[in-house]
Amino acid sequence: PLDDSQRRLVESAWSLADQLANRYSRNTGSLTRDDLRQIALTALSESALRYDKSRGVPFANYARGHAWRAILH
């Protein structure tokens, strides 16, 4: 489960999940936009668990690739 700081990271990136879902939904008919958004949000949550702020990479940059790969699989 996510702690409060991890939950805030995911909440701060909700728009990223929407962007990725919207972008990919135009290219596929197999999953709905809501399904794609849920996949992206799950990937953001998983990314928040592994995120290391001390590396100096903004969470959205770190999580974008994870969410995109999750949508593509």
Side-chain angles (χ1 to χ4, degrees):
L2 299 176
D3 64 26
D4 288 340
S5 64
Q6 293 166 329
R7 193 172 300 109
R8 283 191 299 274
L9 286 172
V10 173
E11 290 171 359
S12 74
W14 278 358
S15 63
L16 174 61
D18 288 331
Q19 290 170 4
L20 294 173
N22 287 336
R23 185 174 177 190
Y24 194 71
S25 69
R26 288 179 253 153
N27 299 323
T28 184
S30 60
L31 295 172
T32 68
R33 185 194 157 291
D34 287 339
D35 290 338
L36 294 168
R37 183 176 187 272
Q38 184 61 45
I39 292 167
L41 287 172
T42 300
L44 292 179
S45 295
E46 292 169 355
S47 295
L49 291 170
R50 294 188 303 267
Y51 179 64
D52 182 358
K53 184 178 180 177
S54 70
R55 293 182 178 246
V57 177
F59 177 70
N61 292 4
Y62 173 78
R64 178 182 303 274
H66 294 283
W68 188 244
R69 282 188 294 279
I71 285 174
L72 293 177
H73 290 108

